[in-house]
Amino acid sequence: MPPSEELSALLDPGSTVLITVECQQGVVGPDAALPQLASEARESGALANVARLVGGAHAAGVQVIHAVAERRPDGRGANRNARLFRAAGRLPVQQLTGTPAVRVAPPIEVAEHDLVVRRLHGLSPVQGTDVDALLRNLGCRTLVVAGVSANVAVPNTVFDAVNRGYTAVVPSDAIAGVPADYTDAMIRHTLALVATVATTDEVLTCLRTPDVRPD
């Protein structure tokens, strides 16, 4: 884990944004499209830790963006060029625009000043969406990435952020994927190479205790 001084320097509330990835009812809720992923997100404590991070960000004045994946009932604009997309189109629970499935899932609380970015296509909440422009307008330098899944959307978010010049911080206990041991392997062998890996407690401690530097 990084020294607390290094992490504190990265997590300046004025230039840090927290993004929650696909933490929506149709993905991590009780009646999710992928019950195994939803179960892992809840039983591992990852979803609870995402909620803690959001609460800590609100208290520290850190901007929160909730990235939601959805599709139109007619499927227009949705990808069909990978097995994942075709399989998702056959699931009994669909992430349809305007339905409860695309609402941010409890226990995460959405504040009035949070931003919710919805996408109809692709694997990443950054590529081809408003997220990059919003981050630049917010003066973001560090993006804290939490949510699901460690298999696809979370690494895509981290890679896209790094490719665009942001520093990524990944709270290792606030992301989930399947099977459970894959998340640990993804963090150790991939995300740790391109992002700063910490724990939820470490991130929250830094947000509560901003880095103070001598004049």
Side-chain angles (χ1 to χ4, degrees):
M1 294 301 175
S4 58
E5 296 83 3
E6 177 185 343
L7 187 61
S8 293
L10 291 177
L11 295 174
D12 174 6
S15 59
T16 297
V17 173
L18 168 66
I19 187 168
T20 72
V21 180
E22 297 184 20
C23 292
Q24 57 204 74
Q25 293 192 42
V27 176
V28 296
D31 300 315
L34 298 170
Q36 185 181 3
L37 176 60
S39 177
E40 178 61 26
R42 291 178 173 275
E43 293 177 8
S44 68
L47 185 61
N49 284 331
V50 175
R52 292 175 60 213
L53 288 166
V54 169
H58 290 161
V62 169
Q63 180 67 54
V64 178
I65 295 177
H66 303 281
V68 173
E70 59 183 46
R71 61 185 287 129
R72 290 167 48 111
D74 60 10
R76 287 184 181 273
N79 289 68
R80 297 178 179 82
N81 58 334
R83 286 177 57 197
L84 176 65
F85 300 124
R86 295 190 292 271
R90 297 191 295 269
L91 292 172
V93 177
Q94 294 289 305
Q95 315 300 317
L96 298 181
T97 301
T99 67
V102 296
R103 295 176 188 163
V104 176
I108 299 169
E109 295 186 2
V110 180
E112 184 178 357
H113 52 270
D114 290 359
L115 299 171
V116 180
V117 177
R118 303 178 183 277
R119 77 178 195 276
L120 294 172
H121 62 85
L123 300 170
S124 168
V126 178
Q127 175 65 34
T129 72
D130 291 338
V131 167
D132 184 36
L134 293 174
L135 293 177
R136 296 189 186 283
N137 288 345
L138 291 164
C140 177
R141 295 175 61 87
T142 299
L143 185 65
V144 181
V145 181
V148 297
S149 71
N151 304 74
V152 179
V154 167
N156 266 270
T157 305
V158 172
F159 297 152
D160 285 345
V162 172
N163 283 333
R164 286 162 173 76
Y166 304 104
T167 296
V169 172
V170 177
S172 58
D173 53 356
I175 68 172
V178 289
D181 58 359
Y182 180 77
T183 300
D184 292 336
M186 168 58 75
I187 292 169
R188 183 178 303 109
H189 300 298
T190 301
L191 297 183
L193 302 178
V194 295
T196 297
V197 178
T199 66
T200 294
D201 284 343
E202 288 172 333
V203 171
L204 291 174
T205 296
C206 291
L207 293 181
R208 287 193 293 264
T209 313
D211 185 37
V212 178
R213 303 178 186 179
D215 294 332

